[in-house]
mmCIF file of all heavy atoms in Angstrom:
data_model
loop_
_atom_site.group_PDB
_atom_site.id
_atom_site.type_symbol
_atom_site.label_atom_id
_atom_site.label_comp_id
_atom_site.label_asym_id
_atom_site.label_seq_id
_atom_site.Cartn_x
_atom_site.Cartn_y
_atom_site.Cartn_z
ATOM 1 N N THR A 1536 93.496 -49.081 168.870
ATOM 2 C CA THR A 1536 92.149 -49.538 168.521
ATOM 3 C C THR A 1536 91.640 -48.844 167.258
ATOM 4 O O THR A 1536 90.549 -49.128 166.785
ATOM 5 C CB THR A 1536 91.148 -49.268 169.663
ATOM 6 O OG1 THR A 1536 91.209 -47.878 169.992
ATOM 7 C CG2 THR A 1536 91.470 -50.091 170.888
ATOM 8 N N LYS A 1537 92.437 -47.893 166.734
ATOM 9 C CA LYS A 1537 92.038 -47.251 165.490
ATOM 10 C C LYS A 1537 93.272 -46.707 164.782
ATOM 11 O O LYS A 1537 94.188 -46.214 165.434
ATOM 12 C CB LYS A 1537 91.053 -46.111 165.785
ATOM 13 C CG LYS A 1537 90.301 -45.676 164.563
ATOM 14 C CD LYS A 1537 89.148 -44.762 164.918
ATOM 15 C CE LYS A 1537 88.556 -44.230 163.602
ATOM 16 N NZ LYS A 1537 87.631 -43.152 163.835
ATOM 17 N N LEU A 1538 93.250 -46.823 163.456
ATOM 18 C CA LEU A 1538 94.410 -46.396 162.670
ATOM 19 C C LEU A 1538 93.920 -45.697 161.411
ATOM 20 O O LEU A 1538 93.131 -46.261 160.655
ATOM 21 C CB LEU A 1538 95.221 -47.640 162.285
ATOM 22 C CG LEU A 1538 96.500 -47.447 161.478
ATOM 23 C CD1 LEU A 1538 97.652 -47.042 162.389
ATOM 24 C CD2 LEU A 1538 96.868 -48.733 160.746
ATOM 25 N N GLU A 1539 94.353 -44.449 161.224
ATOM 26 C CA GLU A 1539 93.991 -43.731 159.997
ATOM 27 C C GLU A 1539 95.247 -43.151 159.397
ATOM 28 O O GLU A 1539 95.968 -42.410 160.066
ATOM 29 C CB GLU A 1539 93.033 -42.574 160.327
ATOM 30 C CG GLU A 1539 91.573 -42.964 160.340
ATOM 31 C CD GLU A 1539 90.713 -41.811 160.842
ATOM 32 O OE1 GLU A 1539 91.186 -40.649 160.815
ATOM 33 O OE2 GLU A 1539 89.590 -42.086 161.282
ATOM 34 N N ILE A 1540 95.478 -43.475 158.128
ATOM 35 C CA ILE A 1540 96.699 -43.010 157.495
ATOM 36 C C ILE A 1540 96.364 -41.959 156.451
ATOM 37 O O ILE A 1540 95.491 -42.145 155.618
ATOM 38 C CB ILE A 1540 97.452 -44.185 156.845
ATOM 39 C CG1 ILE A 1540 97.799 -45.223 157.912
ATOM 40 C CG2 ILE A 1540 98.716 -43.684 156.154
ATOM 41 C CD1 ILE A 1540 98.508 -46.428 157.392
ATOM 42 N N ASP A 1541 97.060 -40.832 156.538
ATOM 43 C CA ASP A 1541 96.865 -39.766 155.570
ATOM 44 C C ASP A 1541 98.250 -39.286 155.164
ATOM 45 O O ASP A 1541 98.903 -38.556 155.900
ATOM 46 C CB ASP A 1541 96.031 -38.642 156.224
ATOM 47 C CG ASP A 1541 95.731 -37.527 155.230
ATOM 48 O OD1 ASP A 1541 96.024 -37.713 154.025
ATOM 49 O OD2 ASP A 1541 95.217 -36.479 155.673
ATOM 50 N N GLY A 1542 98.699 -39.717 153.995
ATOM 51 C CA GLY A 1542 100.071 -39.405 153.580
ATOM 52 C C GLY A 1542 101.053 -40.062 154.518
ATOM 53 O O GLY A 1542 101.020 -41.273 154.703
ATOM 54 N N LYS A 1543 101.889 -39.237 155.163
ATOM 55 C CA LYS A 1543 102.876 -39.779 156.098
ATOM 56 C C LYS A 1543 102.349 -39.760 157.532
ATOM 57 O O LYS A 1543 102.976 -40.258 158.466
ATOM 58 C CB LYS A 1543 104.180 -38.962 156.032
ATOM 59 C CG LYS A 1543 105.005 -39.241 154.803
ATOM 60 C CD LYS A 1543 106.190 -40.137 155.159
ATOM 61 C CE LYS A 1543 106.749 -40.801 153.907
ATOM 62 N NZ LYS A 1543 107.035 -42.186 153.990
ATOM 63 N N THR A 1544 101.219 -39.086 157.692
ATOM 64 C CA THR A 1544 100.696 -38.896 159.044
ATOM 65 C C THR A 1544 99.724 -40.014 159.412
ATOM 66 O O THR A 1544 98.899 -40.409 158.609
ATOM 67 C CB THR A 1544 99.964 -37.540 159.140
ATOM 68 O OG1 THR A 1544 100.806 -36.554 158.556
ATOM 69 C CG2 THR A 1544 99.658 -37.185 160.577
ATOM 70 N N VAL A 1545 99.863 -40.490 160.625
ATOM 71 C CA VAL A 1545 99.006 -41.557 161.086
ATOM 72 C C VAL A 1545 98.275 -41.089 162.327
ATOM 73 O O VAL A 1545 98.895 -40.649 163.295
ATOM 74 C CB VAL A 1545 99.830 -42.822 161.435
ATOM 75 C CG1 VAL A 1545 98.904 -43.991 161.712
ATOM 76 C CG2 VAL A 1545 100.794 -43.158 160.316
ATOM 77 N N LYS A 1546 96.960 -41.164 162.274
ATOM 78 C CA LYS A 1546 96.163 -40.801 163.446
ATOM 79 C C LYS A 1546 95.754 -42.096 164.146
ATOM 80 O O LYS A 1546 95.250 -43.015 163.511
ATOM 81 C CB LYS A 1546 94.931 -40.004 163.011
ATOM 82 C CG LYS A 1546 94.557 -38.953 164.023
ATOM 83 C CD LYS A 1546 93.473 -38.061 163.473
ATOM 84 C CE LYS A 1546 92.450 -37.854 164.583
ATOM 85 N NZ LYS A 1546 91.243 -37.208 164.106
ATOM 86 N N ILE A 1547 96.014 -42.122 165.436
ATOM 87 C CA ILE A 1547 95.828 -43.374 166.161
ATOM 88 C C ILE A 1547 94.993 -43.165 167.412
ATOM 89 O O ILE A 1547 95.136 -42.152 168.109
ATOM 90 C CB ILE A 1547 97.207 -43.945 166.567
ATOM 91 C CG1 ILE A 1547 97.961 -44.397 165.313
ATOM 92 C CG2 ILE A 1547 97.077 -45.096 167.562
ATOM 93 C CD1 ILE A 1547 99.405 -44.690 165.563
ATOM 94 N N VAL A 1548 94.113 -44.122 167.675
ATOM 95 C CA VAL A 1548 93.476 -44.157 168.992
ATOM 96 C C VAL A 1548 94.065 -45.361 169.700
ATOM 97 O O VAL A 1548 94.140 -46.445 169.124
ATOM 98 C CB VAL A 1548 91.941 -44.302 168.884
ATOM 99 C CG1 VAL A 1548 91.321 -44.349 170.283
ATOM 100 C CG2 VAL A 1548 91.349 -43.166 168.062
ATOM 101 N N ARG A 1549 94.504 -45.152 170.925
ATOM 102 C CA ARG A 1549 95.040 -46.292 171.655
ATOM 103 C C ARG A 1549 94.283 -46.490 172.961
ATOM 104 O O ARG A 1549 93.753 -45.548 173.545
ATOM 105 C CB ARG A 1549 96.552 -46.181 171.848
ATOM 106 C CG ARG A 1549 97.069 -45.327 172.956
ATOM 107 C CD ARG A 1549 98.596 -45.329 172.942
ATOM 108 N NE ARG A 1549 99.145 -46.494 173.624
ATOM 109 C CZ ARG A 1549 99.502 -46.499 174.899
ATOM 110 N NH1 ARG A 1549 99.361 -45.433 175.643
ATOM 111 N NH2 ARG A 1549 100.009 -47.588 175.436
ATOM 112 N N ASP A 1550 94.234 -47.727 173.316
ATOM 113 C CA ASP A 1550 93.499 -48.094 174.521
ATOM 114 C C ASP A 1550 94.426 -47.942 175.721
ATOM 115 O O ASP A 1550 95.521 -48.511 175.742
ATOM 116 C CB ASP A 1550 93.035 -49.552 174.369
ATOM 117 C CG ASP A 1550 92.464 -50.122 175.647
ATOM 118 O OD1 ASP A 1550 91.634 -49.441 176.261
ATOM 119 O OD2 ASP A 1550 92.854 -51.247 176.015
ATOM 120 N N VAL A 1551 94.013 -47.123 176.676
ATOM 121 C CA VAL A 1551 94.803 -47.024 177.906
ATOM 122 C C VAL A 1551 93.931 -47.475 179.066
ATOM 123 O O VAL A 1551 93.163 -46.693 179.604
ATOM 124 C CB VAL A 1551 95.374 -45.605 178.150
ATOM 125 C CG1 VAL A 1551 96.709 -45.439 177.450
ATOM 126 C CG2 VAL A 1551 94.401 -44.528 177.663
ATOM 127 N N GLU A 1552 94.036 -48.725 179.350
ATOM 128 C CA GLU A 1552 93.271 -49.328 180.450
ATOM 129 C C GLU A 1552 91.802 -48.941 180.399
ATOM 130 O O GLU A 1552 91.220 -48.520 181.396
ATOM 131 C CB GLU A 1552 93.873 -48.932 181.810
ATOM 132 C CG GLU A 1552 95.341 -49.249 181.972
ATOM 133 C CD GLU A 1552 95.619 -50.749 182.024
ATOM 134 O OE1 GLU A 1552 94.759 -51.495 182.532
ATOM 135 O OE2 GLU A 1552 96.682 -51.169 181.550
ATOM 136 N N GLY A 1553 91.198 -49.055 179.213
ATOM 137 C CA GLY A 1553 89.772 -48.790 179.098
ATOM 138 C C GLY A 1553 89.454 -47.387 178.609
ATOM 139 O O GLY A 1553 88.389 -47.143 178.074
ATOM 140 N N ASP A 1554 90.374 -46.455 178.788
ATOM 141 C CA ASP A 1554 90.176 -45.122 178.229
ATOM 142 C C ASP A 1554 90.860 -45.037 176.873
ATOM 143 O O ASP A 1554 91.627 -45.916 176.516
ATOM 144 C CB ASP A 1554 90.767 -44.054 179.160
ATOM 145 C CG ASP A 1554 89.805 -43.730 180.295
ATOM 146 O OD1 ASP A 1554 88.580 -43.789 180.048
ATOM 147 O OD2 ASP A 1554 90.278 -43.447 181.413
ATOM 148 N N SER A 1555 90.550 -43.984 176.132
ATOM 149 C CA SER A 1555 91.153 -43.832 174.811
ATOM 150 C C SER A 1555 92.089 -42.638 174.782
ATOM 151 O O SER A 1555 91.792 -41.586 175.343
ATOM 152 C CB SER A 1555 90.068 -43.624 173.756
ATOM 153 O OG SER A 1555 89.293 -44.780 173.655
ATOM 154 N N GLU A 1556 93.190 -42.829 174.096
ATOM 155 C CA GLU A 1556 94.135 -41.745 173.921
ATOM 156 C C GLU A 1556 94.276 -41.532 172.419
ATOM 157 O O GLU A 1556 94.450 -42.496 171.673
ATOM 158 C CB GLU A 1556 95.474 -42.163 174.535
ATOM 159 C CG GLU A 1556 96.528 -41.099 174.508
ATOM 160 C CD GLU A 1556 97.848 -41.594 175.131
ATOM 161 O OE1 GLU A 1556 97.975 -42.814 175.381
ATOM 162 O OE2 GLU A 1556 98.730 -40.781 175.344
ATOM 163 N N VAL A 1557 94.181 -40.297 171.976
ATOM 164 C CA VAL A 1557 94.302 -40.030 170.546
ATOM 165 C C VAL A 1557 95.670 -39.429 170.297
ATOM 166 O O VAL A 1557 96.078 -38.495 170.984
ATOM 167 C CB VAL A 1557 93.204 -39.049 170.074
ATOM 168 C CG1 VAL A 1557 93.328 -38.798 168.578
ATOM 169 C CG2 VAL A 1557 91.822 -39.602 170.413
ATOM 170 N N LEU A 1558 96.414 -39.990 169.341
ATOM 171 C CA LEU A 1558 97.698 -39.389 169.032
ATOM 172 C C LEU A 1558 98.005 -39.418 167.555
ATOM 173 O O LEU A 1558 97.341 -40.098 166.782
ATOM 174 C CB LEU A 1558 98.851 -40.024 169.815
ATOM 175 C CG LEU A 1558 98.734 -41.397 170.441
ATOM 176 C CD1 LEU A 1558 99.468 -42.396 169.630
ATOM 177 C CD2 LEU A 1558 99.299 -41.282 171.825
ATOM 178 N N GLU A 1559 99.013 -38.668 167.195
ATOM 179 C CA GLU A 1559 99.434 -38.618 165.811
ATOM 180 C C GLU A 1559 100.879 -39.038 165.720
ATOM 181 O O GLU A 1559 101.682 -38.714 166.590
ATOM 182 C CB GLU A 1559 99.298 -37.179 165.293
ATOM 183 C CG GLU A 1559 98.272 -37.074 164.190
ATOM 184 C CD GLU A 1559 98.129 -35.639 163.707
ATOM 185 O OE1 GLU A 1559 99.167 -34.992 163.450
ATOM 186 O OE2 GLU A 1559 96.989 -35.188 163.606
ATOM 187 N N ALA A 1560 101.212 -39.772 164.690
ATOM 188 C CA ALA A 1560 102.601 -40.190 164.512
ATOM 189 C C ALA A 1560 102.931 -40.140 163.033
ATOM 190 O O ALA A 1560 102.065 -39.914 162.193
ATOM 191 C CB ALA A 1560 102.793 -41.584 165.062
ATOM 192 N N GLU A 1561 104.197 -40.337 162.735
ATOM 193 C CA GLU A 1561 104.656 -40.302 161.352
ATOM 194 C C GLU A 1561 105.108 -41.691 160.935
ATOM 195 O O GLU A 1561 105.620 -42.463 161.747
ATOM 196 C CB GLU A 1561 105.882 -39.370 161.252
ATOM 197 C CG GLU A 1561 105.597 -37.920 161.520
ATOM 198 C CD GLU A 1561 105.053 -37.215 160.291
ATOM 199 O OE1 GLU A 1561 105.777 -37.178 159.267
ATOM 200 O OE2 GLU A 1561 103.903 -36.729 160.347
ATOM 201 N N LEU A 1562 104.930 -41.991 159.670
ATOM 202 C CA LEU A 1562 105.527 -43.212 159.125
ATOM 203 C C LEU A 1562 107.022 -42.968 158.949
ATOM 204 O O LEU A 1562 107.412 -41.834 158.734
ATOM 205 C CB LEU A 1562 104.908 -43.543 157.762
ATOM 206 C CG LEU A 1562 103.411 -43.892 157.751
ATOM 207 C CD1 LEU A 1562 102.946 -44.096 156.306
ATOM 208 C CD2 LEU A 1562 103.133 -45.143 158.567
ATOM 209 N N PRO A 1563 107.855 -43.954 159.003
ATOM 210 C CA PRO A 1563 107.582 -45.362 159.322
ATOM 211 C C PRO A 1563 107.248 -45.553 160.804
ATOM 212 O O PRO A 1563 107.760 -44.822 161.647
ATOM 213 C CB PRO A 1563 108.886 -46.066 158.974
ATOM 214 C CG PRO A 1563 109.934 -45.006 159.128
ATOM 215 C CD PRO A 1563 109.287 -43.719 158.739
ATOM 216 N N LEU A 1564 106.417 -46.564 161.035
ATOM 217 C CA LEU A 1564 105.847 -46.709 162.360
ATOM 218 C C LEU A 1564 105.583 -48.173 162.660
ATOM 219 O O LEU A 1564 105.275 -48.947 161.762
ATOM 220 C CB LEU A 1564 104.520 -45.930 162.370
ATOM 221 C CG LEU A 1564 103.688 -45.934 163.635
ATOM 222 C CD1 LEU A 1564 104.375 -45.101 164.710
ATOM 223 C CD2 LEU A 1564 102.302 -45.345 163.348
#
Side-chain angles (χ1 to χ4, degrees):
Chain A
T1536 55
K1537 197 168 173 191
L1538 181 81
E1539 272 173 20
I1540 301 179
D1541 183 9
K1543 285 257 161 226
T1544 312
V1545 189
K1546 214 172 136 190
I1547 292 168
V1548 179
R1549 81 182 277 266
D1550 170 48
V1551 273
E1552 305 292 328
D1554 279 327
S1555 294
E1556 184 180 11
V1557 181
L1558 20 104
E1559 244 179 48
E1561 294 277 299
L1562 296 176
L1564 179 71

